[in-house]
Amino acid sequence: MANNLEKYQNLPFHPTMEKVVDILRKKTQNEDPIFFRLVVSYFFSKIASMMRVHVQLADNQKIPVNMYAINLAPSGSGKGHSIAVIEENIISAFRTKFLEITFPQVAAKRLLKLANQRAVRDNTDPSEELERAVAEFEELGTLLFSFDSGTAPALKQMRTKLLMAAAGSMNFESDEIGSNLTGNTEILTAFLELFDMGRIKQKLIKNTRENVRSEDLVGSTPTNMLLFGTPTKLLNGSKTEDEFYEMLETGYARRCFFGFSRVRKSQTGQTAQDLYDLYHDASISKFLMQLNDKFGLLSDPAAFHQVLNMPHDVLMALYDYQLACQNFADTLSEFEDVRKAEISHRYFKVAKLAAVYAYIDKAVHVTMDHLNYAIAMAEMSGDAFKEILNRDRPYVKLCHYICSIGKELTHADLTEDLPFYKGTEQAKREMLNLAVAYGYKHGMYIASNLVDGIQFYSGKKAKETNLDEIIFSYSKQLAKGYVPKVAAFSQLDRLVNANGYHWVNHHFRDNYRDADHVIPGCNIVVLDVENSISVDMAQHLLKDYTYLMHTTKRHTPTEHRFRVLMPLSHHIELNSRDFKEFMLNIFQWLPFEVDDQTGQRERKWMTCKGNYWYNNGELLDTLQFVPKTKKADDWKQLIAGQTNLTHLERWFINESANGNRNIQLSKYAFMLVGMGYDGDTIRSKVLDLNSKIAEPLPEAEILSTIMVTVAKRLYSKGESS
């Protein structure tokens, strides 16, 4: 299904905002603009809502502008620094003038009007009513330009003050929201209702002499909200994360703009002189000063309560965007209801933000440019919200933690260090199993080791093998002078086909080959085959894998001796003991016997002139054979019950567990044809192998399908010979 929002992906951002963002990126040495764009837009909205700017949509519907933003970025991204720059250098003039001049003047006019209304209604003296109104207004406390926490009674008190003044907005700005989310549930519950129109239902309280129920003033109080912090604190798999996603489901998903950065993108290649020039750049200081003065003028009482309309073409473009959002939301699964809600309501947030940009630019109405700037922010926000919804699950975090900590961990360590590692022992085991499975698919392996009854876990992220960087060493001597090399796999025939060299699939300290000088690190394994199978048959069995096969010095047409070089899917670094077990696991997996005394890291091989063959296929799965991992343990447990089988039989039986039994038995039969067996022997071997499968096929099915095809092949083979 086509994405109806694709045409909105490359719209420009607001120019003034982008200039500020560029300055913040330089000052914080952070190249990622997402956090800064959202922060700057929030403070633009804060200015406009304090001045009670509205946007007029269809049917004379006037919507107060405001913004809710949830902005997550890793530690060190410059969150606090950037906000300090904005507050001190960009909006300080607005704040001072608004609090000291605009708000008092607007409030005085509003209180006079309110006193006259009450006097007419209650047939009382207007001057006395004004005196009481002013006293009530003063008792409500000082207007806060912003606050980072609070209680429901305090919120109601401040809202009453704003209603009496008919000016200003409530601005909730909380740092490190992961730590402060649960402590602000009262405010968040109230803000949920206040977003759209700045209205909220009053709570019914008992009227007593000590607690007199106040007059219910009619009006709206715009609210702005900026929640920011690190993703790891908020999305930590604990109760905090659960409450956050519940908050999104109850309505914050559709109300908020989102920012999300996983890593800090630092500027590179800078010098001390570059930093000096940045910190002493007069042009930046001049621009910020001019912007501060501009915003100071926006707080003039004459600019109060502007209503910005959308011309017909802009309004039609907004409706087009609304329909595109709705159509795309309809394509999503019913299980993506939170994301559907966010997408379906983007147009409403866009309408408010477009009016904010128009007010900042001192425009007489919302232009098409302002609408596009707002849509660009909404689409950036939508991408961030999608990443938030696709956050790492607890088992993913567990896998990354174990593989990055660099030491062995017990259940006690995990419980103490990770807030999401919780629940019953069974739940924890299930989380570990999921972590192991995730790691296996993403190049990480988790090993477990039982010591004195205590389970220890360790892990490592494996580096994927680059076929142009195969590790090996070579020398003319037995132990000394081993030259470390890295070369393309496609060129290894030049190594194995040379004369008189010894080579190893590891590097060595001091170029000296022995167990104590091995440098851990390997991405290719070598298999020695001593007349247990023919070259042709080995090639047939390994046809799905990448390999270089070459004959050795003692190879003859009747006694096949050769080596198989198989690149690993991932680079491994194992100690001597674990490497031996790793190789033993590979030896047991193979469909033919090899020299099982070649599992040492320091094992060398001789080069010699001979025949060689390359094959392109999948790389040998490293993680299946790493010792003490669940994958390797499962494999060892499987073959422990197959000691009565040959390598070849085990290969086909285990393959039949992963695919069609008839297909695997057919492959086995056709291989026997290639090995020169007659029909009776092939039938006997196929039926015998079938009897060893957990769920064998009916004998009649084998005779009527597989053996009929075998007979035809034997007949064709006889004719051709």
Side-chain angles (χ1 to χ4, degrees), residues 452-467:
D452 295 332
I454 300 175
Q455 200 78 42
F456 288 86
Y457 297 93
S458 62
K460 183 173 290 187
K461 182 172 179 61
K463 175 185 175 183
E464 291 188 4
T465 295
N466 182 345
L467 288 179

Side-chain angles (χ1 to χ4, degrees), residues 202-216:
Q202 287 287 2
K203 181 179 180 181
L204 179 63
I205 61 173
K206 185 177 180 180
N207 191 53
T208 66
R209 184 176 300 175
E210 294 77 18
N211 188 23
V212 179
R213 191 184 307 139
S214 61
E215 179 182 347
D216 185 10

Side-chain angles (χ1 to χ4, degrees), residues 13-14 16-18 20-21 24 33-51 53 65-72 79 82-87 90-91 94-95 144-149 155 158 168-175 187-188 191 195 222-228 252 255-259 295 298 349 352-357 359-360 373-374 377-378 380-381:
F13 292 95
H14 190 274
T16 301
M17 179 189 75
E18 286 297 272
V20 176
V21 167
L24 296 177
I34 295 175
F35 181 88
F36 307 124
R37 282 174 179 157
L38 194 51
V39 164
V40 174
S41 292
Y42 168 81
F43 280 101
F44 284 2
S45 296
K46 181 176 176 178
I47 288 174
S49 66
M50 292 291 276
M51 295 296 291
V53 174
V65 302
N66 63 327
M67 174 184 271
Y68 286 8
I70 297 176
N71 208 356
L72 304 177
K79 298 184 290 294
S82 60
I83 290 175
V85 170
I86 294 172
E87 290 181 331
I90 297 178
I91 67 167
F94 173 88
R95 172 181 173 144
L144 296 181
F145 197 67
S146 63
F147 55 92
D148 62 4
S149 59
L155 186 71
M158 179 179 238
S169 61
M170 292 188 290
N171 309 306
F172 174 41
E173 300 166 9
S174 180
D175 189 4
I187 290 179
L188 291 169
F191 268 51
F195 172 78
T223 49
N224 296 287
M225 183 183 76
L226 174 61
L227 308 180
F228 62 101
Y252 272 105
R255 290 168 170 85
C256 291
F257 281 87
F258 297 91
F295 290 160
L298 289 176
K349 295 179 288 187
K352 292 190 174 199
L353 185 56
V356 168
Y357 289 146
Y359 181 73
I360 294 298
Y373 300 152
M377 281 298 300
M380 185 197 79
S381 164

Side-chain angles (χ1 to χ4, degrees), residues 601-618:
R601 296 184 301 175
E602 69 276 13
R603 173 76 183 195
K604 73 169 186 68
W605 293 274
M606 279 293 296
T607 63
C608 70
K609 285 283 186 180
N611 298 319
Y612 64 89
W613 306 265
Y614 279 105
N615 188 64
N616 291 321
E618 62 182 271

Side-chain angles (χ1 to χ4, degrees), residues 310-454:
M310 287 189 175
H312 181 266
D313 61 330
V314 179
L315 199 56
M316 292 300 292
L318 175 64
Y319 292 158
D320 281 339
Y321 181 65
Q322 178 182 351
L323 291 173
C325 289
Q326 187 59 60
N327 291 336
F328 180 62
D330 290 341
T331 67
L332 300 179
S333 163
E334 60 180 304
F335 302 105
E336 297 180 90
D337 53 333
V338 178
R339 189 171 174 226
K340 287 166 77 84
E342 188 277 326
I343 294 173
S344 300
H345 291 83
R346 282 182 194 173
Y347 78 96
F348 191 66
K349 295 179 288 187
V350 161
K352 292 190 174 199
L353 185 56
V356 168
Y357 289 146
Y359 181 73
I360 294 298
D361 290 343
K362 296 184 178 181
V364 294
H365 58 73
V366 179
T367 68
M368 192 69 74
D369 284 341
H370 295 132
L371 181 68
N372 286 334
Y373 300 152
I375 291 176
M377 281 298 300
E379 291 303 299
M380 185 197 79
S381 164
D383 292 339
F385 185 61
K386 184 179 179 182
E387 284 204 58
I388 290 175
L389 290 180
N390 294 334
R391 82 282 190 191
D392 289 342
R393 302 295 179 179
Y395 65 85
V396 176
K397 296 176 184 177
L398 177 61
C399 179
H400 284 288
Y401 181 78
I402 294 175
C403 292
S404 64
I405 201 66
K407 64 179 181 179
E408 289 191 321
L409 300 162
T410 65
H411 280 287
D413 296 326
L414 297 175
T415 302
E416 182 177 341
D417 296 346
L418 306 175
F420 56 83
Y421 191 71
K422 57 188 178 180
T424 63
E425 289 301 314
Q426 181 178 352
K428 291 178 179 178
R429 283 197 299 271
E430 179 63 24
M431 190 185 299
L432 270 167
N433 289 338
L434 291 172
V436 170
Y438 173 84
Y440 179 70
K441 289 184 177 180
H442 294 84
M444 292 174 279
Y445 54 89
I446 296 175
S448 61
N449 192 21
L450 190 64
V451 180
D452 295 332
I454 300 175

